[in-house]
Amino acid sequence: MRTMTAVQPRTPLVRVPKAIFSVHLARIAALIVFSVVFVRTAWICDDAFITMRVVDNFVNGYGLVWNTDERVQAYTHPLWLLLLLPVYFVVREPYYVLLAVSAALSAGAVVLVLRAARAASLVLLAGILLTGSKAFVDFSTSGLENPLSHLLLAAFGLLYIRARWQATSRYDMAIAALAGLAILNRFDLALLVLPAVAERILSERTWNSRIRLAVITLSPAVLWMVFSLLYYGFPFPNTYYAKQASGVSRSEYLERGIAYLIKFAANDLLSFVTIVVALALGFKNARSGLLSLAIGQLLYMAYIIWIGGDFMQGRLFSPLFVSTIVSLGYVLLRLCIGLSAHATCMAAALALGLLTYPIPTWLSSYPYPPAASWLRLPSGDLLHALIRALGYPKPFMIDQITDDRGSYFQSTGLLSLLISGPQMESHWAARGGKNLRQLETRVTVLGAIGLTGFYAGPKVRIIDHFALADAFLARLPYRDRVDWRVGHLIRHPPDGYVASRLYDQNRLSGQMLRQLYEDIRLVTRGPLLSRERLAAIVRLNLHPPKIPESELDLPVRDFALSQMNRQVVLVPSTGLTIYMTAYRRPLPESLLFLSDAATTYQLTFTNDWREAQATSAVSPARLSHRSYALSPRLLDLSSSPAHSFNLIKVEALNPTHSSRIGYLRLLDETTIQRNGVRGSSVPLLLTQGHAVVVDLPARVMQDGMVGVWRSEAEFHELRVRLASISCDRQERPTAELFVNDYLAHRFMWDDCRSHQEFVAQLTRPIVRKGWNLLEVRVSRPGSIEVQGVELHPSRAS
């Protein structure tokens, strides 16, 4: 007999408490806000295309190389490169590959950070911090490895804290694996993760478990270093040797590191305060299990200062910000701070975010940086003024740390692309690369190598004078140590290096330079496993040759001439080879050639690809005025039989003791019309030695004046007196005074009949040992009279 049972009311399979439901809503809202900020701020920097050139070369069968004729690790992020390879192989378009991969990784990092917050108020606080942090927002894109670092560090922190709170070891394998991947992405992230990993290793009871975790953590980086040593010849990226092994004193790096920290605090106060508060709470609440994370975060901050920071504001701090914000959420939750305290924190975060300079990330739009408006708050300017008033660090160090998004957003920003259409390929660096490819240039010397290198294609070999992608130059000492910029330590190619790269022959002059070049050529171009190459790898890593200063001071025979060059060049008895790097136009129209009036020069034009040649002789002009003038010649390059040449061989047919080329400049048609060579612009050869006074009471200039002098002194006092002869009252004449292409002073006439006088103390590196160039350029309509130029060698003040 069946018994009747009471029907129980149905219950939901899953109960959703209101608190959890509010947390989910808060996370969704934070994700939506971040998505809007991401679209409004997404951009790609020039340095990202250094990696993309390597990716493109690999996809096209050239290997993991930057220049296709040598194996050099020009990138600092192996894991980021390996992640880009398969995506680019399918898409074959650099811009959207970088943006899409960055968007996916940044979204994952935001989700993980929001998961670390277990209360709705903490989720909203985390959302404000993430979307208000300039460092995090700027480098959630940019094309650099930061989004991958953010994701790995967020996952690492999340699992580590969960393992600590649950007192379990089941996450230890994943923690070790995430730490290993983070180190492989950037070796310096080891400082952030290794203290926490070491704590997990020591908590293991058996040695087998400890060894297993250590192997999992270190094996990715160790295996890559072994591969790098065998393939590239060196265990670390070439950028390390270019930036940190340059011979610059550590105290100079520390000065710039402090400046980097101050610049970060001045322009991104929200991120800076978040990091400081998280560190303080982590050390104060050591029992919460976050002490190991706080130690790693403090070590990483000290490391940033130790290496001198970076030239990109906030780039190195964004991984530290992500690590601290994960631990901050757990600390606040553990301290059981109430809703009112959380609301206070949110209000403070909003206020700090509104002080972001030049504009809060929530309000960033196109154009960026914006024009002057009420949205731009002066916090950064005020703090910079205070720093300058204190006198340390030097203002130069602060000013050379740039908002890189502001530099490239107009051309590579996603919002600018959506509003104005594609802009990136019209950027001057991209156009320059296309012109190099069109000219089929084999070798050129450049500085900004990202966009230019990518669009130049695999056949163009680019010598990077910052040495980031050049193994030979990276091992030369950095010499111009006055007011140098982090990441931009220029190594001038020594005598014969450009010809050596062009013809694959050792044409260097100094004995130690020749030995270094032979070893570098063997390591970067020789058979991978040959005995000679392995021996060269051992020599370069254990006993690299030290290049004496005397070998770097030899007469220049290889000279890179660009569209903007204004330089005095001595012609040695062996001749001078000029490599044209005017890549902004397919071919310059003319060459302004000003030479010693007593010497006849022969110029041979050669294309380095087709070996076509044309020869032209430049004879001295019969000058009726003073003997210290130079002979000007405007050479029409467009009529040369070798229409696409990019080399010029200069030889003095009747060399004198003072044979020289006084002034070189490539000209296009517009520049020729504006700065044609006339009698009024014949340059002056200022007498060397004691004080020089050049009086030109009748000298009327419409194009400017050029003066050159040879100096053995390090300091000079320069006095220039100008007068305006005629001018347009509605558009006042302006004259600019340049010394070796440094803008020393700008003259503007309020009264057309007034005089202008300028006195300056010139020091190195503005004044060079050897030949120097003085220019007065007229940039507005009118005529200028140079009434006097006085040049006095002097001692340092």
Side-chain angles (χ1 to χ4, degrees), residues 172 175-177 179-181 183 193-194 197 201 212-221:
D172 286 355
I175 291 171
L181 292 176
I183 297 172
V193 299
L194 284 184
V197 173
I201 291 175
R212 181 170 61 250
L213 290 181
V215 169
I216 293 174
T217 302
L218 300 177
S219 57

Side-chain angles (χ1 to χ4, degrees), residues 715-787:
F715 306 94
H716 285 77
E717 181 183 86
L718 177 67
R719 185 185 301 269
V720 178
R721 180 176 175 84
L722 302 177
S724 173
I725 300 300
S726 63
C727 65
D728 185 343
R729 295 183 180 273
Q730 295 183 350
E731 191 172 4
R732 296 171 295 175
T734 302
E736 295 175 325
L737 177 66
F738 286 84
V739 177
N740 291 327
D741 222 21
Y742 285 84
L743 178 61
H745 192 69
R746 180 178 284 108
F747 303 86
M748 179 176 288
W749 277 263
D750 295 323
D751 182 359
C752 290
R753 294 170 295 178
S754 64
H755 302 275
Q756 297 282 350
E757 186 170 337
F758 172 70
V759 179
Q761 295 292 331
L762 305 178
T763 62
R764 289 189 178 182
I766 297 178
V767 175
R768 302 165 182 162
K769 183 179 180 181
W771 289 103
N772 291 267
L773 178 65
L774 167 68
E775 287 183 283
V776 179
R777 307 177 197 166
V778 181
S779 58
R780 294 285 179 86
S783 298
I784 306 300
E785 178 184 345
V786 180
Q787 295 187 329

Side-chain angles (χ1 to χ4, degrees), residues 63 68 93-94 215 218 239 293 325 395 401 478 493 581 629 638 659 722 778 780:
T68 55
E93 202 286 325
V215 169
L218 300 177
T239 52
L293 285 179
I325 198 175
I401 301 165
Y478 176 67
T581 61
S638 61
S659 295
L722 302 177
V778 181
R780 294 285 179 86

Side-chain angles (χ1 to χ4, degrees), residues 626 628 684-687 692-697 699 705 786-791:
R626 303 174 185 179
Y628 50 68
L684 304 173
L685 181 58
L686 305 180
T687 313
V692 175
V693 179
V694 180
D695 293 313
L696 304 166
R699 191 176 188 80
M705 185 201 79
V786 180
Q787 295 187 329
V789 177
E790 299 183 25
L791 184 68

Side-chain angles (χ1 to χ4, degrees), residues 11 46 85-86 136 156 190 192 221 246 270 280 328 430 477 510 549 579 586 599 606 635 659 673 747 758 768 778-779:
T11 58
D46 182 76
L85 283 175
F136 180 77
F156 174 84
L192 271 173
S246 58
L270 175 61
L328 180 64
E549 295 283 330
Y579 298 88
T599 307
T606 307
L635 305 180
S659 295
Q673 294 175 356
F747 303 86
F758 172 70
R768 302 165 182 162
V778 181
S779 58

Side-chain angles (χ1 to χ4, degrees), residues 586-744:
L587 186 69
E589 300 288 339
S590 300
L591 172 68
L592 179 58
F593 179 82
L594 305 176
S595 59
D596 183 359
T599 307
T600 300
Y601 294 93
Q602 176 173 290
L603 277 66
T604 304
F605 308 107
T606 307
N607 179 275
D608 67 356
W609 193 266
R610 300 185 180 89
E611 302 298 336
Q613 292 190 358
T615 302
S616 175
V618 178
S619 301
R622 294 184 178 180
L623 303 176
S624 58
H625 50 284
R626 303 174 185 179
S627 61
Y628 50 68
L630 302 180
S631 173
R633 286 291 183 272
L634 186 63
L635 305 180
D636 184 4
L637 305 183
S638 61
S639 62
S640 170
H643 185 72
S644 298
F645 74 89
N646 63 345
L647 283 86
I648 307 174
K649 179 71 173 180
V650 182
E651 297 175 282
L653 299 182
N654 55 333
T656 65
H657 180 68
S658 59
S659 295
R660 68 186 66 85
I661 297 175
Y663 183 75
L664 290 168
R665 189 179 179 189
L666 293 170
L667 303 175
D668 54 29
E669 184 176 356
T670 304
T671 311
I672 294 172
Q673 294 175 356
R674 187 175 67 247
N675 296 317
V677 181
R678 306 173 187 171
S680 61
S681 58
V682 173
L684 304 173
L685 181 58
L686 305 180
T687 313
Q688 56 181 321
H690 299 288
V692 175
V693 179
V694 180
D695 293 313
L696 304 166
R699 191 176 188 80
V700 178
M701 304 190 322
Q702 295 178 334
D703 303 308
M705 185 201 79
V706 178
V708 295
W709 82 93
R710 184 175 180 84
S711 172
E712 297 297 333
E714 296 185 10
F715 306 94
H716 285 77
E717 181 183 86
L718 177 67
R719 185 185 301 269
V720 178
R721 180 176 175 84
L722 302 177
S724 173
I725 300 300
S726 63
C727 65
D728 185 343
R729 295 183 180 273
Q730 295 183 350
E731 191 172 4
R732 296 171 295 175
T734 302
E736 295 175 325
L737 177 66
F738 286 84
V739 177
N740 291 327
D741 222 21
Y742 285 84
L743 178 61

Side-chain angles (χ1 to χ4, degrees), residues 39-40 95-96 366 413-423:
V39 172
R40 294 171 67 89
Y95 183 80
Y96 291 106
Y366 179 83
L414 177 60
L415 197 60
S416 63
L417 182 146
L418 296 176
I419 293 176
S420 305
Q423 301 289 324

